[in-house]
Each structure stands twice: as structure tokens, then as C-alpha cells.
Amino acid sequence: MPGRERSDAAASPAVRLTGWGRTEPSVARVYEPADPGQLGVLLKEAPARGIIARGLGRSYNNAAQNDGGQVVITTRMDRITGFDEGLGIAVCESGVSLEQLMIRALPAGWFVPVSPGTRQVTVGGAIAADVHGKNHHVAGSFARHVHWLDLLLPDGQERRLTPAGDPRLFWATAGGMGLTGIILRAAIQLTKVQTSRVRVDTVRTADIDEAFSYLAQTDESYTYSVAWLDCLASGPHLGRSVITSGDFAEPSDLAGGDRRDPLKFRPVARLSAPPACPPGLINRHTVALANEIWYRKAPKRRTGEIQTIATFFHPLDGIRNWNTVYGPAGFRQYQFVVPFGAEPTVRAAVERISQARAPSFVTVLKRFGPGDDGFLSFPMPGWTLALDFPARTPGLARLLAALDEDVLAAGGRVYLAKDSRIAAGLLEGMYPRLSDFRDLRAEIDPGGLMASDLSRRLGL
Ligand SMILES: Cc1cc2nc3c(=O)[nH]c(=O)nc-3n(C[C@H](O)[C@H](O)[C@H](O)COP(=O)(O)OP(=O)(O)OC[C@H]3O[C@@H](n4cnc5c(N)ncnc54)[C@H](O)[C@@H]3O)c2cc1C
């Protein structure tokens, strides 16, 4: 029937979308297919402003928005179609979330190979941003664990990509922020675990230099590690931190009840943030107080504490819509990485932030291991610092622009999945393979069908 050749996308509603930071809203036609088969027709009918995929919308700004164009939400494409319990390989549609994968795979003793700070991201979003986790120094980022992915190219062709068989398109797609096409399915190599608990060691450091040296000395001893930093501390306390490092526990590490069900994973019903948080709730005074309490309540040194996956990996997932506590103006995430040896740049960044009294509620320092071949993948060997600031912080634009320059001068880069404001001209210096990425896009998408607010702003 000819009518079947048309998707119902033309009738899809216009919806106002933002990223998780709730800044820079834009309006797009939104289509939510349950069947990847419907997408070929959709590409043919795409509006002049183009089309972009969107998963769970956990990127912080507008990578998954397309003002005046089409957005394809993948979360109804959420079938896990195969799971080899012996090899730990999961085959799934791209709208499957990491939480779904955990629920399916943990009872058989497998965990996602890389988990960002939230499990509410889709497999498509994890590949498109080539996300990293607390184990980057040993496991690299997400794409390293993808055996293959099926990509719907802008010309409507579907192609199965492997890192060995089609390295150019595979590595442009991994970290490519949805701009090479729509990822339909993927096969992911999971990681073997004996339990669903993590054995965690905690250490408090007096300042950022102690944090640098502790992480450098101990990273090889742990699979997962990260430092939380007090970004408002100053003087001798500059960058004081609480470092948590861990490995999945063995059954013998667990207490009686837990030992009987060592792979238990039942994400609990989550709390909600109050419906209307007053603007200005997160400010330099409340963050300074929260940081003080957080630092003081952490033990100076504690070993062998058993934590759940939710507590260790995804503490923020405990509160649904925690992003609304920043009020209607939202917040800006900022994450950079600089090579090893550029510790002074990280220290100077923390100094600038502390001097500006810019209140970052969640400030995280970590060491990355080697990066992968992703043209626009963020991680490189070095130090990464992630921060989030209320969007209305006075002087924030100037502060972040100064940090951009310092990061570039140190040979580093900022993370596109979190970016909301970097000047397009700085990007080439940060991502040396950007021109290769643009060349490939020109070949596979000469009409610029794949487009997002992020790609237009940065000319990706
Ligand atoms: C609390 C929190 C903690 C976080 N911690 C980390 C962290 O530790 N490490 C880290 O790396 N990131 C982290 N992030 C960022 C997050 O992991 C990434 O932005 C991820 O891409 C979000 O996935 P999503 O499914 O929500 O994708 P979206 O935000 O919807 O989209 C992100 C990008 O992926 C593209 N995309 C989505 N689906 C597809 C598809 N099927 N085909 C092609 N392209 C697609 C979109 O076009 C867009 O460019 C965190 C985010 C939050 C909210």
C-alpha cells in the first residue's frame, strides 16, 4: 500500500526540548518510532533543517536538539534481542538503556563495560558520545567494547560497522554525536563480575596536590576511581578532596544476607526533586556549606566498605529530575581533559573557580588512560575535571572562556556531550581529527541531513 511508504513523522508534534542542564531550549518535530524499520522513510522525508537522534536526553546541552528540524527519540526501540550468557555479549536496539542492560545481565554475572555517572543513558547515546566512566584508566571508553553497530546512513542505507572492517566510519560514529547517521543496534561486550557490590576504599586529601599524587600512585591498584573536589576551598585547602576507589566485590566479601543473593540488582523507586525549586537555591553559600559537610563527614581513610552499584556508580540517579534543583535557568556542565604533566593547569583552573566563588555542586577529578580512535572522542591520557555551575552564576561566561584558553594552551579539550558555549574557532586545536570528521561528513552526507543545534553552533 503506497500509504505505508510514508512514515507518520509529518504528523509528529512540535516539542520544546532541552538537554539535562535545561539551558538553550529549542523546538523540533519529535518522532518516536518503535521499529527501526520506519526510519528509512523518515530520512527521505526529512525537513530542510535535518534530523538528529536523541536517546534519554542526558547530554547536558543541545547535542540531541534540532531547532526547526526533526528529532528521532529512540527510547521505544528498546529490545535486547540477544544475550550470550557464556560470552557476555548483549545485542540490543539503540534505545536500550544501560539500566535495562544491567537488569538483564547482572543475574548472569555481567556488568556494562563502562558506566557514566548515570545509568539512564541509551546504548546509542553511549556510543555517540563515546562515554567514559570511573574505569577509563583501565577499560577505555564505551566504543572499545562495541563488537559491531548497525548504522542508518543519511542516504537511507543500513550498514553493519565493525572497528576492523570499517574503521573510518566506525570511529567517526563513536563519539560523532549522532552526525554520521542513526545507530539502530549494537553488540556490546559486557564485563564479568562475581557480585553486584563494590568494595570501596575512601581517602580524604588535604589539597589538590595530594589528590594528584594519591590518584597517580593508586590508580593501577583499582578498576574504578574518582576524586570529588571542594571547588570553593582555597589557600592550603585548595582542591581538598574525597577519593573513592574500588573493585567489584567477591562473594566472600559480602555479609550473610547479601552472600545468598550476590548478584542482586533492583534499582529502587527514586525520589523526586520538589516540583518547584526556588531560583538561586544552589549558590556559593549553599554549595560551600554542602562541600564542608561532605568533606567533614568523609572518613580520613576507610577500606573495604561494601557499596551497591547505585551508591558507587550512580548516586545522582537516586533523585529523579535532580536537575530541576538549579531552578528554571538551569545549569552548565563543563568538563575538560589536559595531558599528564599539565597538573598546573588543573590547579590553576581550580584556583580561578575558587577565587571567582563559582559554586560547582559536583566537581570530579579523574585520570584517563589512553584514548581510542574516535575522531571526536573526548578522552585522552591525562587529567579530567568535571564541574557544574548554576547558569546564572555571575561572571560564568568569562570564567569558562578563560578556562577554554588555558585548556587549549595545555593541549587539552572540552567534552562535546556537555558543552554549551565554547567558541567554534577553538575546536580544531582541541580535536586534531575534526577536519577528517568534516571530510567524512561531506562524503556521506553532502546535503547535511544530519544536524543538531550543537553541530550548527560548532560547524561540526
Ligand atoms: C548525571 C549524569 C552523569 C553523567 N556522567 C557522565 C560520565 O561519567 N561520563 C560520560 O562520558 N558522560 C556522562 N554523562 C553524559 C552522558 O553519558 C552522555 O551525554 C550520553 O550521551 C547521554 O546518553 P543519552 O541516551 O541520554 O543521549 P542524548 O543525550 O539523548 O544524546 C546524546 C548524543 O548522542 C546522539 N545519539 C543518541 N542516540 C543516538 C542514536 N541511536 N544514533 C546516533 N546518535 C545518537 C545524539 O544525537 C546526541 O548527539 C552524564 C550525564 C548525566 C546527566
Side-chain angles (χ1 to χ4, degrees):
M1 219 205 298
R4 296 225 163 193
E5 296 300 311
R6 282 182 60 76
S7 73
D8 48 355
S12 55
V15 175
R16 181 179 181 274
L17 297 169
T18 69
W20 193 244
R22 301 172 76 226
T23 54
E24 271 95 358
S26 64
V27 175
R29 297 243 160 235
V30 163
Y31 184 51
E32 296 188 60
D35 174 7
Q38 294 167 316
L39 288 171
V41 184
L42 184 76
L43 287 185
K44 281 194 204 135
E45 296 169 353
R49 293 279 284 179
I51 192 162
I52 196 74
R54 180 180 176 97
L56 278 159
R58 271 4 186 236
S59 49
Y60 280 91
N61 196 38
N62 52 17
Q65 291 167 231
N66 186 12
D67 190 19
Q70 183 86 51
V71 170
V72 176
I73 297 186
T74 61
T75 48
R76 289 175 68 211
M77 297 172 8
D78 63 351
R79 281 162 291 234
I80 299 174
T81 52
F83 178 45
D84 183 323
E85 296 200 1
L87 294 175
I89 299 174
V91 176
C92 60
E93 291 178 342
S94 61
V96 164
S97 71
L98 296 192
E99 179 173 279
Q100 270 178 276
L101 276 184
M102 289 173 205
I103 290 170
R104 175 75 177 83
L106 271 163
W110 297 96
F111 186 60
V112 294
V114 166
S115 179
T118 170
R119 55 185 182 274
Q120 304 301 335
V121 309
T122 62
V123 165
I127 297 172
D130 196 10
V131 299
H132 58 270
K134 292 180 178 187
N135 58 349
H136 188 275
H137 59 290
V138 292
S141 44
F142 199 85
R144 192 200 279 188
H145 309 275
V146 174
H147 287 289
W148 53 259
L149 61 88
D150 286 341
L151 183 70
L152 184 65
L153 287 151
D155 67 3
Q157 262 190 72
E158 188 181 318
R159 207 180 303 166
R160 178 155 298 183
L161 307 177
T162 61
D166 199 340
R168 194 160 166 255
L169 194 47
F170 182 92
W171 288 112
T173 301
M177 304 308 290
L179 295 167
T180 58
I182 301 178
I183 300 162
L184 303 178
R185 295 167 213 94
I188 314 296
Q189 179 62 58
L190 304 178
T191 300
K192 191 76 191 147
V193 294
Q194 302 296 322
T195 74
S196 60
R197 312 299 151 80
V198 188
R199 199 180 45 236
V200 183
D201 293 348
T202 304
V203 160
R204 225 165 67 174
T205 75
D207 62 17
I208 193 166
D209 292 318
E210 204 183 324
F212 285 143
S213 65
Y214 182 86
L215 284 169
Q217 278 163 25
T218 59
D219 250 8
E220 277 185 16
S221 319
Y222 297 101
T223 309
Y224 302 97
S225 64
V226 75
W228 166 89
L229 240 77
D230 181 351
C231 73
L232 292 176
S234 57
H237 305 301
L238 184 83
R240 63 182 178 174
S241 43
V242 179
I243 300 178
T244 47
S245 315
D247 290 286
F248 270 95
E250 308 284 320
S252 57
D253 295 325
L254 305 185
D258 287 346
R259 210 179 285 181
R260 279 192 289 281
D261 192 2
L263 290 161
K264 183 168 96 179
F265 177 66
R266 287 179 210 116
V268 284
R270 291 175 296 147
L271 303 171
S272 289
C277 284
L281 181 66
I282 307 289
N283 59 50
R284 57 186 56 153
H285 306 293
T286 53
V287 170
L289 183 66
N291 285 359
E292 183 69 29
I293 294 170
W294 187 255
Y295 183 78
R296 296 265 160 233
K297 106 174 188 342
K300 276 204 175 110
R301 184 174 286 267
R302 178 173 57 203
T303 55
E305 187 197 5
I306 299 298
Q307 294 189 0
T308 61
I309 284 173
T311 309
F312 184 72
F313 290 100
H314 317 119
L316 292 167
D317 284 354
I319 303 175
R320 197 191 309 268
N321 298 343
W322 61 263
N323 56 341
T324 59
V325 302
Y326 291 85
F331 67 105
R332 292 194 190 279
Q333 262 271 340
Y334 184 75
Q335 183 170 1
F336 70 78
V337 56
V338 289
F340 290 125
E343 291 80 5
T345 304
V346 183
R347 191 185 306 103
V350 175
E351 227 156 21
R352 269 189 201 278
I353 293 160
S354 161
Q355 273 164 14
R357 308 296 297 149
S360 164
F361 195 43
V362 183
T363 307
V364 172
L365 176 72
K366 160 143 198 76
R367 284 164 65 87
F368 277 159
D372 61 26
D373 290 335
F375 288 25
L376 298 186
S377 281
F378 168 64
M380 60 158 80
W383 294 98
T384 184
L385 186 71
L387 304 132
D388 52 15
F389 302 100
R392 288 216 175 119
T393 302
L396 186 61
R398 219 173 330 112
L399 172 69
L400 296 183
L403 294 183
D404 293 340
E405 297 289 347
D406 293 350
V407 166
L408 179 62
R413 57 176 68 129
V414 299
Y415 190 13
L416 294 177
K418 301 188 170 182
D419 178 55
S420 55
R421 19 82 34 219
I422 191 169
L426 297 187
L427 218 60
E428 255 164 56
M430 294 183 172
Y431 286 90
R433 299 193 67 196
L434 180 59
S435 60
D436 296 341
F437 183 77
R438 287 179 175 141
D439 290 348
L440 179 135
R441 286 250 292 145
E443 283 167 38
I444 63 163
D445 189 10
L449 186 73
M450 305 309 299
S452 64
D453 292 353
L454 176 85
S455 76
R456 269 189 291 272
R457 179 167 58 82
L458 294 178
L460 295 178

